Amino acid sequence: MHRWSRVSHFIEKVLIGVACFILAGTTLSLSAEAVGRTLFNRTWGFMEELPSLFMPYLVFLLLGVALKRNLHVTVDLLPASLQGRAKAVLDAIIYFATGAGSCVLFYAAMLGVRGFYQMGFRTTTEIAFPIWIFYLSLVLGYGLLIFFAAEMFVKSILYLATGSGGSVSRKEDG
């Protein structure tokens, strides 16, 4: 489990770095468009389209990180009233359900990407890209969410089996 946690931590850092790169790129793109429009009376449609094309990557790549860091919107009524093993059981159920649901969405995203690839659809932007490239963000995002949900599920089960190792939820660790 230690090696898995190290790999997970590394992937988490890489994903945050990629997200920062996407945010910086989209901010610079919009800024360049504003400067070009204001100072040079010139507009590049692609600079406005770029942020909306990469937003799915930003969102879906961080789904697993948000799960691991417990940053999703949650209702804490039941978890707040549970402690110890009962909370670990609830966590295990939640992580299992998240992983199972993500498997269904992963499969659907794979079908969608394959369909768009086979049909050859392209974006209607200034520079036409194959549309499947942007739907690939769903496949990657749900695949990573499955990975992180599996990690958290295993940690919950190990906590139940050994009764040690501290809390499973990061919200309580920090």
Side-chain angles (χ1 to χ4, degrees):
M1 187 70 203
H2 180 66
R3 182 173 292 185
W4 189 356
S5 292
R6 285 182 43 213
V7 169
S8 172
H9 185 70
F10 175 75
I11 292 172
E12 184 180 352
K13 294 296 182 189
V14 167
L15 292 172
I16 291 172
V18 168
C20 289
F21 182 76
I22 291 172
L23 280 174
T26 57
T27 302
L28 289 173
S29 172
L30 291 172
S31 298
E33 173 64 14
V35 167
R37 185 179 299 170
T38 304
L39 297 180
F40 305 115
N41 206 20
R42 169 85 169 103
T43 184
W44 300 278
F46 183 71
M47 297 298 240
E48 288 182 31
E49 297 162 349
L50 190 66
S52 63
L53 291 174
F54 280 100
M55 273 307 121
Y57 277 98
L58 180 67
V59 171
F60 285 100
L61 289 179
L62 293 178
L63 285 176
V65 174
L67 176 70
K68 185 174 180 181
R69 293 184 174 194
N70 204 13
L71 297 174
H72 286 281
V73 175
T74 60
V75 177
D76 292 332
L77 181 63
L78 187 57
S81 64
L82 298 176
Q83 294 178 355
R85 293 180 61 80
K87 180 159 181 8
V89 168
L90 179 63
D91 285 342
I93 292 168
I94 290 170
Y95 295 132
F96 180 80
T98 300
S102 297
C103 286
V104 172
L105 294 170
F106 177 79
Y107 179 70
M110 292 277 290
L111 293 177
V113 168
R114 187 179 78 189
F116 284 125
Y117 179 79
Q118 290 173 342
M119 289 184 274
F121 285 171
R122 301 181 78 68
T123 61
T124 57
T125 56
E126 189 174 29
I127 299 173
F129 293 102
I131 204 162
W132 66 267
I133 291 173
F134 301 102
Y135 280 87
L136 194 60
S137 65
L138 279 77
V139 174
L140 295 171
Y142 289 127
L144 289 164
L145 185 56
I146 292 166
F147 174 79
F148 286 114
E151 176 192 12
M152 301 308 289
F153 175 74
V154 168
K155 283 184 179 180
S156 297
I157 297 301
L158 289 175
Y159 177 77
L160 285 169
T162 62
S164 64
S167 172
V168 175
S169 174
R170 275 206 168 176
K171 185 184 260 185
E172 297 171 1
D173 292 343

